[in-house]
C-alpha cells in the first residue's frame, strides 16, 4: 500500500446528518410514545406555560394569559410568553428534540429557573401532528421587542417554511399556534373536547387559562383552600373525590410534603379491594396533569387509597405520562407512606369510631403494614379483628383472657379444632387468613410476657379427658377393629371423653402428619427405586388421629356391636364425617371410603330390615 493510499485510509470520514421521516416519527409518537391523541393539548399548554414562565423570570409583572379558540376543525392557542425570534425558530423548530430550556437556548442565563419548566418546545409541537396535518406558529420575542414577528409553518410531510411578518401581525410579545386537523381527527379540535381536555390537564396551572370565555384553571387546589371547619373541609374533599374518581371516600388524608414539593390528598376507598390490585393515582407536575395511572407512588400496603397530587420534584418519563423510578420517587413514596401511617395512629388516638369504620373495610391493609412496623402493630393491637374461639376479638383482648395464645396456620386446622378447643377452654386464634399468623407470632415483641404457641394435635388431645382404663380395656376389640380399618389411610384411632357431646368423632392432624401422608401416598405409587428413596425419607412424625368421643351416644352404640365388619364400616363413616366437619379437602382415597361406607351402611340396613 503506497503512502497516498495510507493517508487516504486514515483521513476522517465526512459527517452525515440523520434524515428524519416525519410521518414515521408521528406514527411512533401516536402509537407508541403517547397513550392517546389527547396529549397534544397537554403539549400545547406546556409550551405556553413554559413561555410565560421564561418571560416572568425576566419580567415578573409580565401578563400571564393562555387563550384557546376552537372551531370547525381548527385550534388557535395564544400565550403572553417570551416569544421567539427568527433565529430562535430555526434553532428550536427545525431541530427535533432541541429544548428551549437548554443552555444557549431561550433560557440562556436563566439556569436557576430551569426546574420551573415542564417540557421541550420542539417535541411539544411535533406531538401536535398526532391530530394536525398543518401547524402554523406566529411569535414575537419579548427579549428582542424590536425584532419582527416570525411565522413558521409546517406540514406533516416534514416540510416547513419560515418568514418574517409586519409588526402589526402580532403587536404584543408572545406566541400563537394554529392547528388544522388531519383527516379523521377533527373531533379532537371541537370546542367541547378542547374545553374538557384543557380542564383535565390544566385545572391546577398557575396562570390564567381560558377556552373561549370559559375558565380552565380552578385555584387554589381543593386541598389548599381554607375551610371554616374540619367537617366542612371533609365534605368539600369528598365532593372533589366523587367528581374526580367517581366514589365518596371513607375519609381524606393530607399528603403535603413541603421538602419534596408535594401537595395533595389521599382518598380512602369505601369498599375493600384486593391487596394485589395495583392502585392508580393522579399526579400533576407543576400544575399540569402528568398521569391518571401512577402506580408506584405509594407503598404496596397502601392499596386502600387513591391519591391526587401536585409535585415539582418528581421526574417524568419521556412520554411525560408516568413517573421515573429513581431515588427521589423512593423518598417521596416513603414520606407519603409515613403520612398515611400517621393518619391511622391519629384515628386510633382520637377518633375510634372512624377507625372502626375504616377497619371494618380495610383491616387487611393495616395488617399488612403492621407485619413490618412494630409501632403500627402496637397502636392497632386493640383494634384489629381476629377470628378466635371466643368470637371476633383483638389480639390484645384475647391475650388478656388466655395465658397462652394458641393459633393455627391454616383455616382448615382451625375449623377442625375450634369447637372442641372452645369446649375445653383452650383459646385458639385462626391464623389461616392473610397476615394473621405473622401478626400473632409478632405479639410478644410488642406485648412482653405474652406466650404464643402454634396449636398441634398433641395439645388438643392433652386437653381431652382420658377414658377409664377399665372401660377402654372392655372396648379393646372394638378399638382393634376400628384401627385395622383406618390403618391403610394412615390414621390412628383413640378414645377420649370430651364436650360437646353432640360431636361423635374428631379428626386431628397437623402439617407434619399431612406431609408424612403425602410421602406415603407417593411411595405407594412409585416404582421400586423411587419407593426406596421415599421410604428412606420416612420420618417419625405422628400420624393423623380419629378421636372417638366416649360420651357420645352413637359411639357407645357402635362400640357395642359384635360384628367386626360392621364396626369397620361404621368407623369409616365416622372418619368421613369428621373430615367433612373439619372442611378438609378429600383425597381420592377418602372419597372412595365415603362411598364405600355409605353403600355398606345401606346394605346393612336393608339386610337387617329383611331379616326382621
Amino acid at each position: 500500500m503506497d503512502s497516498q493510499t495510507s493517508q487516504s485510509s486514515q483521513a476522517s470520514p465526512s459527517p452525515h446528518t440523520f434524515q428524519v421521516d416525519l410521518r414515521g416519527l408521528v406514527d411512533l409518537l401516536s402509537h407508541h410514545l403517547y397513550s392517546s391523541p389527547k396529549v397534544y393539548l397537554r403539549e400545547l399548554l406546556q409550551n405556553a406555560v413554559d413561555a410565560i414562565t421564561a418571560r416572568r423570570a425576566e419580567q415578573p409583572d409580565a401578563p400571564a394569559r393562555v387563550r384557546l379558540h376552537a372551531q370547525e376543525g381548527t385550534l388557535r392557542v395564544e400565550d403572553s410568553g417570551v416569544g421567539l425570534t427568527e433565529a430562535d425558530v430555526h434553532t428550536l423548530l427545525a431541530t427535533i428534540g432541541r429544548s428551549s430550556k437548554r443552555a444557549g437556548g431561550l433560557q440562556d442565563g436563566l439556569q436557576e429557573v430551569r426546574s420551573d419548566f415542564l417540557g421541550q418546545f420542539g417535541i411539544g409541537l411535533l406531538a401536535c401532528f398526532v391530530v394536525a396535518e398543518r401547524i402554523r406558529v406566529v411569535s414575537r420575542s419579548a427579549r428582542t421587542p424590536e425584532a419582527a414577528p416570525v411565522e413558521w409553518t409546517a406540514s406533516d410531510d416534514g416540510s416547513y417554511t419560515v418568514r418574517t411578518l409586519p409588526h402589526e401581525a402580532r403587536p404584543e410579545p408572545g406566541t400563537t399556534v394554529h392547528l388544522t386537523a388531519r383527516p379523521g381527527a377533527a373531533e379532537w379540535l371541537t370546542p367541547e373536547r378542547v374545553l374538557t381536555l384543557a380542564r383535565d390537564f390544566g385545572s391546577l396551572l398557575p396562570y390564567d387559562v381560558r377556552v373561549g370565555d370559559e375558565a380552565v384553571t380552578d385555584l387554589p387546589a381543593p386541598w389548599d383552600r381554607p375551610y371554616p371547619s374540619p367537617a366542612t373541609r371533609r365534605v368539600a374533599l369528598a365532593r372533589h373525590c366523587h367528581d374526580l374518581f367517581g366514589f365518596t371516600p371513607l375519609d381524606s388524608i393530607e399528603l403535603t410534603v413541603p421538602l419534596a414539593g408535594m401537595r395533595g390528598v389521599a382518598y380512602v376507598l369505601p369498599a375493600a379491594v384486593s391487596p394485589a390490585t395495583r392502585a392508580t393515582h393522579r399526579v400533576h407536575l407543576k400544575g399540569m396533569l402528568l398521569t391518571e395511572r401512577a402506580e408506584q407512588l405509594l407503598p404496596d400496603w397502601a392499596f386502600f387509597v387513591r391519591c391526587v397530587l401536585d409535585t415539582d420534584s418528581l421526574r417524568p418519563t419521556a412520554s411525560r405520562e408516568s413517573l421515573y423510578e429513581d431515588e427521589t420517587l423512593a423518598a417521596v413514596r416513603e414520606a407519603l407512606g409515613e403520612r398515611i401511617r400517621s393518619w391511622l395512629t391519629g384515628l386510633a388516638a382520637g377518633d375510634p369510631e372512624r377507625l372502626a369504620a375504616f377497619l371494618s373495610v380495610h383491616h387487611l391493609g393495616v395488617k399488612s403494614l403492621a407485619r413490618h412496623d412494630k409501632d403500627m402493630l402496637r397502636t392497632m393491637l386493640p383494634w384489629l379483628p381476629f377470628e378466635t374461639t371466643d368470637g371476633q376479638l383483638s389480639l390484645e383482648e384475647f391475650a388478656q383472657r388466655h395465658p397462652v395464645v394458641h393459633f393455627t396456620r391454616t383455616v382448615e386446622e382451625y375449623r377442625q379444632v375450634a369447637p372442641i378447643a372452645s369446649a375445653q377452654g383452650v383459646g385458639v386464634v385462626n391464623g389461616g387468613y392473610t397476615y394473621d399468623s405473622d401478626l400473632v407470632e409478632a405479639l410478644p415483641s410488642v406485648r412482653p410476657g405474652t406466650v404464643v404457641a402454634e396449636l398441634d394435635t398433641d395439645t388438643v388431645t392433652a386437653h381431652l379427658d382420658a377414658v377409664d382404663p377399665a372401660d377402654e380395656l372392655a372396648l379393646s376389640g372394638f378399638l382393634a377393629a376400628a384401627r385395622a380399618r383406618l390403618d391403610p389411610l394412615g390414621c390412628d384411632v383413640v378414645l377420649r371423653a370430651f364436650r360437646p357431646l353432640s360431636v361423635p368423632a374428631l379428626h386431628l392432624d397437623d402439617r407434619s402428619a399431612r406431609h408424612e401422608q403425602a410421602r406415603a401416598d407417593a411411595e405407594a405409587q412409585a416404582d421400586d427405586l423411587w419407593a426406596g428413596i421415599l421410604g428412606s425419607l420416612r420420618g417419625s412424625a405422628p400420624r393423623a388421629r380419629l378421636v372417638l368421643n366416649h360420651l357420645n351416644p352413637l359411639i357407645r352404640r357402635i362400640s357395642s356391636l359384635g360384628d367386626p365388619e360392621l364396626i369397620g364400616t361404621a368407623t369409616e363413616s365416622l372418619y368421613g364425617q369428621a373430615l367433612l366437619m373439619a372442611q378438609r379437602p378429600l383425597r381420592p382415597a377418602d372419597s372412595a371410603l365415603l362411598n364405600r361406607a355409605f353403600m355398606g351402611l345401606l346394605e346393612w340396613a336393608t339386610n337387617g330390615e329383611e331379616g326382621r
Side-chain angles (χ1 to χ4, degrees):
M1 182 181 296
D2 58 31
S3 60
Q4 183 176 358
T5 303
S6 176
Q7 291 174 358
S8 175
S9 64
Q10 295 175 5
S12 299
S14 300
H16 297 278
T17 302
F18 283 105
Q19 300 299 311
V20 176
D21 179 0
L22 187 57
R23 288 186 184 274
L25 192 55
V26 168
D27 179 73
L28 178 67
L29 290 173
S30 60
H31 293 100
H32 300 284
L33 183 62
Y34 296 124
S35 62
S36 166
K38 69 180 182 180
V39 297
Y40 87 91
L41 194 65
R42 183 195 64 195
E43 300 294 340
L44 287 174
L45 289 176
Q46 285 185 177
N47 286 341
V49 169
D50 284 346
I52 294 172
T53 302
R55 184 176 181 183
R56 284 203 153 191
E58 298 177 339
Q59 305 172 20
D61 58 347
R65 298 187 304 270
V66 181
R67 298 291 183 265
L68 298 90
H69 305 275
Q71 61 179 9
E72 298 179 358
T74 64
L75 175 64
R76 184 174 82 256
V77 181
E78 303 174 348
D79 69 65
S80 59
V82 69
L84 303 171
T85 64
E86 184 177 1
D88 294 331
V89 167
H90 285 290
T91 300
L92 298 175
L93 300 182
T95 306
I96 301 302
R98 176 70 61 87
S99 172
S100 62
K101 275 65 74 178
R102 293 178 181 172
L106 293 185
Q107 286 305 309
D108 190 16
L110 297 175
Q111 305 278 352
E112 69 279 2
V113 296
R114 282 187 191 171
S115 63
D116 295 331
F117 294 92
L118 298 170
Q120 288 188 331
F121 187 78
I123 290 293
L125 273 183
L126 186 64
C128 293
F129 279 119
V130 172
V131 298
E133 65 176 1
R134 182 169 176 269
I135 301 175
R136 175 171 168 256
V137 178
V138 177
S139 187
R140 181 170 183 174
S141 174
R143 292 208 183 103
T144 314
E146 67 277 5
V150 60
E151 177 192 70
W152 176 86
T153 305
S155 300
D156 60 1
D157 61 4
S159 63
Y160 72 93
T161 60
V162 179
R163 66 182 181 126
T164 57
L165 301 175
H167 283 276
E168 58 269 19
R170 184 171 180 97
E172 298 296 328
T175 300
T176 302
V177 178
H178 303 261
L179 300 186
T180 302
R182 64 191 307 146
E187 61 173 306
W188 293 103
L189 302 186
T190 61
E192 297 79 11
R193 179 63 67 90
V194 170
L195 178 61
T196 299
L197 293 179
R199 284 177 171 168
D200 196 35
F201 284 119
S203 62
L204 301 184
L205 290 174
Y207 304 134
D208 179 17
V209 182
R210 295 178 182 271
V211 176
D213 296 327
E214 299 286 341
V216 168
T217 52
D218 186 19
L219 295 177
W223 51 84
D224 287 333
R225 295 172 189 169
Y227 296 97
S229 68
T232 306
R233 174 184 174 83
R234 191 176 300 121
V235 170
L237 290 179
R239 186 182 305 113
H240 174 251
C241 176
H242 188 273
D243 293 341
L244 202 61
F245 293 117
F247 66 85
T248 301
L250 284 178
D251 207 348
S252 56
I253 307 171
E254 184 76 31
L255 292 184
T256 300
V257 184
L259 292 178
M262 184 81 65
R263 302 166 307 283
V265 62
Y267 294 115
V268 181
L269 293 169
V273 294
S274 167
T277 302
R278 298 294 298 178
T280 55
H281 311 288
R282 188 178 175 94
V283 178
H284 296 255
L285 179 62
K286 304 179 183 71
M288 182 71 71
L289 178 66
L290 183 69
T291 178
E292 299 174 285
R293 300 186 300 275
E295 294 184 349
Q296 68 273 48
L297 189 64
L298 294 182
D300 290 340
W301 55 260
F303 55 82
F304 49 84
V305 298
R306 294 292 180 270
C307 299
V308 53
L309 297 167
D310 187 24
T311 176
D312 57 19
S313 63
L314 297 180
R315 177 184 170 190
T317 58
S319 66
R320 295 192 288 283
E321 293 187 282
S322 59
L323 298 173
Y324 190 83
E325 184 70 46
D326 57 11
E327 293 181 358
T328 302
L329 179 57
V332 166
R333 184 185 300 120
E334 182 177 350
L336 294 179
E338 182 58 37
R339 291 292 184 275
I340 298 174
R341 184 185 290 108
S342 298
W343 169 78
L344 284 171
T345 55
L347 288 186
D351 201 338
E353 289 186 2
R354 285 171 64 200
L355 178 63
F358 167 75
L359 289 178
S360 67
V361 178
H362 295 298
H363 60 274
L364 199 59
V366 179
K367 287 182 177 181
S368 174
L369 172 59
R371 284 187 308 154
H372 308 293
D373 190 323
K374 289 184 179 180
D375 290 336
M376 179 58 65
L377 177 58
R378 187 179 294 107
T379 301
M380 293 291 109
L381 206 54
W383 307 102
L384 289 174
F386 288 80
E387 182 180 2
T388 78
T389 49
D390 293 352
Q392 286 285 116
L393 293 177
S394 69
L395 287 182
E396 174 69 26
E397 187 175 357
F398 187 82
Q400 292 174 357
R401 296 185 181 186
H402 299 277
V404 178
V405 178
H406 289 101
F407 73 98
T408 63
R409 291 193 181 276
T410 68
V411 175
E412 291 80 8
E413 290 174 351
Y414 179 80
R415 293 283 182 261
Q416 68 179 345
V417 302
I420 310 302
S422 178
Q424 310 307 312
V426 179
V428 184
V429 178
N430 184 357
Y433 295 118
T434 306
Y435 311 133
D436 282 9
S437 60
D438 292 338
L439 294 177
V440 175
E441 289 183 299
L443 189 56
S445 67
V446 297
R447 195 177 188 277
T450 303
V451 179
V452 172
E454 183 176 355
L455 190 70
D456 55 25
T457 57
D458 290 335
T459 302
V460 177
T461 307
H463 281 81
L464 305 180
D465 295 333
V467 177
D468 184 89
D471 292 339
E472 188 164 2
L473 181 61
L475 298 176
S476 58
F478 160 72
L479 292 174
R483 287 166 181 157
R485 185 59 66 95
L486 295 187
D487 183 68
L489 296 173
C491 183
D492 291 333
V493 177
V494 297
L495 190 65
R496 293 288 189 273
F498 56 86
R499 298 182 184 280
L501 300 181
S502 58
V503 177
L506 175 66
H507 182 270
L508 294 178
D509 68 354
D510 54 23
R511 282 173 296 162
S512 298
R514 288 195 292 275
H515 291 164
E516 176 62 18
Q517 183 61 52
R519 186 209 57 77
D521 291 343
E523 181 181 354
Q525 301 174 13
D527 56 33
D528 292 341
L529 175 60
W530 189 238
I533 295 173
L534 292 174
S536 67
L537 299 176
R538 183 181 295 112
S540 58
R543 304 206 302 172
R545 302 172 191 175
L546 182 66
V547 184
L548 302 180
N549 187 359
H550 186 54
L551 302 179
N552 180 266
L554 177 61
I555 296 298
R556 287 183 174 272
R557 287 197 296 270
I558 294 175
S559 64
S560 65
L561 296 173
D563 184 355
E565 185 64 26
L566 185 55
I567 290 175
T569 300
T571 302
E572 288 180 336
S573 299
L574 290 169
Y575 172 83
Q577 190 262 354
L579 285 180
L580 295 175
M581 289 297 293
Q583 301 181 25
R584 291 290 309 280
L586 300 180
R587 300 171 297 165
D590 297 329
S591 299
L593 174 144
L594 277 173
N595 289 331
R596 183 172 65 248
F598 178 72
M599 297 304 296
L601 290 176
L602 281 180
E603 184 177 353
W604 175 83
T606 303
N607 291 338
E609 184 67 28
E610 291 176 353
R612 284 194 286 271

